[in-house]
Amino acid sequence: MKLKELAKSLGLSPTTVSRAINGYPEVSEATRARVMAAAQRHDYQPNPRAKALATGQSMAIGHVIPLATRHEMVNPVFADFIAGASEIYAREGFDIHLTVVSDEGEEKAYRDIAAKGSVDGIIVHAPRANDGRIALLSSVGLPFVVHGRATGIDAAYNWVDVNNRRAFRRAAEFLVDLGHRRIALVNGLETMEFAMRRRSGFVEALTARGIEPDPDLMLSDEMTEQYGYQSAKTLLARADPPTAFLCSSMISAFGIRRATDEAGLKLGRDLSLIAHDDDLSYLQNGADDPIFTALRSSVREAGRRAATILIDQIRNPGPPVHDLLEAEFLVGRSTAPAPHPARALNA
Amino acid sequence: MKLKELAKSLGLSPTTVSRAINGYPEVSEATRARVMAAAQRHDYQPNPRAKALATGQSMAIGHVIPLATRHEMVNPVFADFIAGASEIYAREGFDIHLTVVSDEGEEKAYRDIAAKGSVDGIIVHAPRANDGRIALLSSVGLPFVVHGRATGIDAAYNWVDVNNRRAFRRAAEFLVDLGHRRIALVNGLETMEFAMRRRSGFVEALTARGIEPDPDLMLSDEMTEQYGYQSAKTLLARADPPTAFLCSSMISAFGIRRATDEAGLKLGRDLSLIAHDDDLSYLQNGADDPIFTALRSSVREAGRRAATILIDQIRNPGPPVHDLLEAEFLVGRSTAPAPHPARALNA
DNA sequence: TTGAAAGCGATACCAG
DNA sequence: CTGGTATCGCTTTCAA
């Protein structure tokens, strides 16, 4: 069913029908009701491409997700973020236009999307320091929101981020307060902004507590299971192994768990976790494992907020908006002060 | 830059320029070269919506991913599958149109997509038995490929699937051959086709080896970490705990590992894994942890194949195509016959 | 409050 | 081989 047919079947002009459907005020309520009813009855769906061509609005949001070829699997965070965003999109009538690019192809991908005008706005995932994409998008004038932040950018831009620095500072403080002195940081690639922030939160905490951060205990790489495993294995083989791990991803954390397993150690559950919940209460009861639920709720919420901001920017462009989620990266599951499992090695 | 402008700048008609760019034969090679050069120079990108409106082809593939609200995180399999598919799409010039729907909204989502004609084809994820989506899509005549299979469908349709039954049969056989008699199946929701197939492979293997499958040891639910944890915890608390686990997802497997950890057991690495590799060689060397790489390569390959089939169907509709990937679901990492860790409970 | 007609940016038929 | 023009389905002035 197309607009013209609908119009004819009602004895009206396409103009009027279009106006009725799109809620223009200059249509009498009587005709509007008639039109709406008929539209319903015939299950009329306006052709989005025709509409887009006429209005210049595509009612679509682009998500470009970078795929490091070394990644063993796609970062689940992307999916959860998108799930959150799509709740908003669905409500507001936007579609998701997904582009998966390898690291090299990234700039070209953005350029193409902008040139083709296939979307009204873009979500930028996994920003890096001095990220060229931000300048690129600003220059083409396509609204965008960054999931995360990029330092080294002079222009203001929209972003949504969780409070990574604060989360890691707290996590590290927590470990220190449990009595740990040698804490390993198994971090993500520190070309990524979030990893840099996490590291600095970590260092801040140690320094504030009078502990000299040991560079040998601060690792950085793509966060695979393999990476967590190898890192932990290597670290535990040292003469002075760490007694706690602060890790930047659950996937890598599983690798760490495997390594401690193999070493015959029982980790004091010093596995890392991002929690949107702001307090440590679950650490005390431990009834539910909050790793996944917390991660999800945090990332989804970020997706929702980013989508909301982006749509708002599309509808009425204004000054950039920031949104810092007070998410937590919490540590461990043990209710008692953490044991120093590594001592078993030397025992 | 638009076609008309490009044409004018070349002193040609839009018609000719369009023909040159789209590779029509009736253009002299000289003009074509001129046109292509100019297009390059001006970074001309045809407006996809105008093109779509004119041709009736949207050059987009729809992926509809269902999101059970109970899921703690988005199934990473979707992302990896899409990553694989998008390799093909990128090459062939298709875009991805992503729709995330909650279980209830699903049928409507498909109906809308079909009615709006925003895509040239659809990938159906996570089919269920007697899946209504298949009849729906067949009836509207939109090309589609199912990732997985659905029984109870009379019409023929395109699908790509890994050999779940065979994989689980083999996995179970492997465990039996290691000496296990009480093997738990921690399966996915058995309303899902793949889970049903896995279960039947499992049962087949036991039966063939003269072991009566114990219904109490066969669990089915959404595959969360929590589910794996609770299942294992409950099972291990029995008077006659299982000595091995066959599990349907790595996420749940991590939960199982946690439970065995807590029980003071050292799993004989009876963790489950999908591997595209067809032999068991890595079980002997164990140098690398193949869980993630194998999963990824298998699912990505499925994505690639599905995309290939779908695009082919779009271009020249023909009889349905099946593609059964010979992926493996393998068990454990131990090179020696598995210990019976559960005995420790009774010791 | 309604309608006629001119776009939006491409494709494709029909002439030349 | 090249060009004029109708067309795709909808929106949006401009007139009535």
Side-chain angles (χ1 to χ4, degrees):
Chain A
M1 177 57 84
K2 27 197 84 168
L3 185 60
K4 211 152 87 179
E5 300 168 9
L6 222 198
K8 182 143 42 181
S9 87
L10 284 167
L12 287 171
S13 75
T15 312
T16 304
V17 175
S18 169
R19 286 202 273 241
I21 287 176
N22 293 306
Y24 282 65
E26 64 263 52
V27 184
S28 81
E29 278 315 317
T31 32
R32 167 161 300 145
R34 256 189 352 123
V35 170
M36 292 312 256
Q40 202 86 52
R41 186 153 23 86
H42 293 100
D43 190 33
Y44 168 70
Q45 300 270 19
N47 178 319
R49 292 185 303 280
K51 199 164 179 159
L53 187 57
T55 59
Q57 290 243 315
S58 62
M59 292 307 278
I61 306 289
H63 280 250
V64 181
I65 87 166
L67 211 58
T69 41
R70 287 170 55 207
H71 268 308
E72 291 183 336
M73 59 186 286
V74 179
N75 187 342
V77 165
F78 295 137
D80 284 302
F81 183 94
I82 290 176
S86 77
E87 292 174 19
I88 309 296
Y89 297 152
R91 206 181 59 201
E92 305 295 332
F94 283 84
D95 288 328
I96 301 178
H97 183 106
L98 189 67
T99 312
V100 182
V101 288
S102 55
D103 293 339
E104 324 85 64
E106 207 169 8
E107 173 143 351
K108 180 172 175 353
Y110 280 88
R111 215 176 270 294
D112 280 2
I113 290 174
K116 297 208 289 195
S118 11
V119 301
D120 296 331
I122 285 191
I123 299 281
V124 175
H125 290 274
R128 296 177 296 268
N130 304 308
D131 204 310
R133 295 173 290 178
I134 294 178
L136 176 62
L137 286 171
S138 307
S139 76
V140 299
L142 194 58
F144 67 99
V145 171
V146 180
H147 176 204
R149 282 167 285 174
T151 49
I153 306 295
D154 38 348
Y157 61 94
N158 303 292
W159 53 259
V160 169
D161 201 4
V162 294
N163 198 335
N164 285 299
R165 174 182 288 124
R166 174 166 163 283
F168 267 59
R169 177 162 36 70
R170 285 215 184 186
E173 284 169 2
F174 179 72
L175 286 172
V176 171
D177 292 347
L178 286 177
H180 292 285
R181 287 297 171 271
R182 297 192 57 70
I183 306 173
L185 174 67
V186 179
N187 203 4
L189 261 187
E190 287 173 4
T191 49
M192 297 292 195
E193 283 292 318
F194 74 90
M196 294 175 42
R197 290 174 198 285
R198 288 179 179 184
R199 182 199 177 104
S200 74
F202 176 77
V203 168
E204 256 172 55
L206 295 195
T207 308
R209 294 282 205 277
I211 300 177
E212 172 79 11
D214 179 348
D216 288 354
L217 295 186
M218 299 194 281
L219 276 48
S220 161
D221 207 333
E222 277 188 36
M223 300 180 301
T224 60
E225 201 261 3
Q226 194 52 217
Y227 161 56
Y229 174 72
Q230 289 297 351
S231 305
K233 193 165 173 173
T234 306
L235 288 170
L236 289 172
R238 292 169 57 102
D240 54 348
T243 63
F245 288 89
L246 180 45
C247 172
S248 228
S249 106
M250 65 174 177
I251 294 289
S252 303
F254 287 127
I256 295 177
R257 185 191 277 181
R258 178 156 64 96
T260 57
D261 249 35
E262 280 184 17
L265 301 172
K266 227 171 149 359
L267 255 201
R269 299 301 186 271
D270 321 52
L271 297 184
S272 55
L273 112 82
I274 297 180
H276 184 243
D277 190 355
D278 201 50
D279 66 45
L280 305 187
S281 59
Y282 69 85
L283 284 173
Q284 267 65 53
N285 62 50
D288 262 21
D289 184 313
I291 292 192
F292 296 94
T293 47
L295 183 72
R296 179 201 62 178
S297 63
S298 164
V299 174
R300 281 213 188 166
E301 179 61 20
R304 282 188 212 101
R305 297 205 191 182
T308 305
I309 292 175
L310 182 52
I311 291 175
D312 187 60
Q313 290 282 320
I314 290 171
R315 295 203 176 132
N316 21 16
V321 176
H322 306 328
D323 193 350
L324 189 59
L325 296 177
E326 293 299 320
E328 281 298 332
F329 191 125
L330 298 177
V331 181
R333 280 203 221 81
S334 52
T335 60
H340 288 219
R343 287 200 186 135
L345 274 180
N346 309 325
Chain B
M1 177 57 84
K2 26 198 84 167
L3 185 60
K4 212 152 84 177
E5 299 167 8
L6 222 197
K8 182 143 43 179
S9 87
L10 283 166
L12 287 172
S13 76
T15 311
T16 304
V17 175
S18 170
R19 283 188 186 122
I21 287 176
N22 293 305
Y24 282 63
E26 64 264 54
V27 184
S28 81
E29 278 315 317
T31 26
R32 166 159 298 142
R34 244 176 18 108
V35 170
M36 293 311 256
Q40 201 87 52
R41 186 153 24 85
H42 294 100
D43 190 31
Y44 167 70
Q45 299 271 18
N47 179 320
R49 291 185 301 281
K51 197 163 180 161
L53 187 57
T55 59
Q57 290 243 316
S58 62
M59 292 307 278
I61 305 290
H63 280 250
V64 181
I65 87 167
L67 211 58
T69 41
R70 289 169 55 209
H71 269 309
E72 291 185 335
M73 60 185 285
V74 179
N75 188 342
V77 165
F78 294 137
D80 285 302
F81 184 93
I82 290 177
S86 77
E87 293 175 20
I88 309 296
Y89 297 152
R91 207 181 56 202
E92 304 295 331
F94 283 84
D95 288 327
I96 301 179
H97 184 106
L98 190 67
T99 312
V100 181
V101 289
S102 56
D103 292 340
E104 325 85 65
E106 206 168 9
E107 173 143 350
K108 180 173 174 354
Y110 280 89
R111 215 175 271 293
D112 281 2
I113 290 175
K116 298 208 288 193
S118 12
V119 301
D120 295 332
I122 285 191
I123 298 281
V124 175
H125 290 274
R128 297 177 295 269
N130 303 308
D131 203 311
R133 296 174 290 177
I134 294 178
L136 177 62
L137 286 171
S138 307
S139 76
V140 298
L142 194 58
F144 68 98
V145 171
V146 180
H147 177 204
R149 281 167 286 174
T151 49
I153 305 294
D154 38 350
Y157 60 93
N158 304 292
W159 53 260
V160 169
D161 201 3
V162 295
N163 198 335
N164 285 299
R165 174 182 286 123
R166 175 165 162 283
F168 267 59
R169 179 163 32 73
R170 286 215 184 185
E173 284 170 1
F174 179 72
L175 285 172
V176 171
D177 292 347
L178 286 177
H180 292 286
R181 288 297 169 270
R182 298 192 55 72
I183 306 174
L185 175 67
V186 179
N187 203 4
L189 261 187
E190 287 173 4
T191 49
M192 298 290 195
E193 283 292 318
F194 75 89
M196 294 174 42
R197 289 173 199 285
R198 288 179 180 185
R199 181 198 177 103
S200 74
F202 176 77
V203 169
E204 257 173 51
L206 294 196
T207 307
R209 293 283 206 276
I211 300 176
E212 173 79 11
D214 180 347
D216 288 354
L217 295 186
M218 299 194 281
L219 275 47
S220 162
D221 206 334
E222 277 188 35
M223 301 181 300
T224 61
E225 201 262 3
Q226 195 53 216
Y227 161 55
Y229 173 71
Q230 288 297 352
S231 304
K233 194 165 172 172
T234 306
L235 288 170
L236 289 173
R238 292 168 57 102
D240 54 348
T243 62
F245 289 88
L246 180 44
C247 172
S248 229
S249 104
M250 65 174 176
I251 294 289
S252 303
F254 287 128
I256 295 177
R257 186 192 277 181
R258 179 156 64 96
T260 57
D261 249 34
E262 280 185 17
L265 300 172
K266 227 171 147 4
L267 257 200
R269 299 300 188 273
D270 321 54
L271 297 183
S272 55
L273 112 82
I274 298 180
H276 184 242
D277 190 356
D278 200 50
D279 65 45
L280 305 187
S281 59
Y282 69 83
L283 284 173
Q284 266 66 53
N285 62 50
D288 262 21
D289 184 314
I291 292 191
F292 296 92
T293 48
L295 183 72
R296 179 200 62 179
S297 64
S298 164
V299 175
R300 282 215 187 163
E301 179 61 20
R304 283 189 212 101
R305 296 204 193 182
T308 305
I309 292 176
L310 182 52
I311 291 175
D312 187 60
Q313 290 282 320
I314 289 171
R315 296 202 176 132
N316 23 13
V321 176
H322 307 329
D323 193 348
L324 189 61
L325 296 177
E326 293 300 321
E328 281 298 331
F329 191 125
L330 298 177
V331 180
R333 281 203 220 82
S334 53
T335 60
H340 288 219
R343 286 198 188 138
L345 275 180
N346 308 326

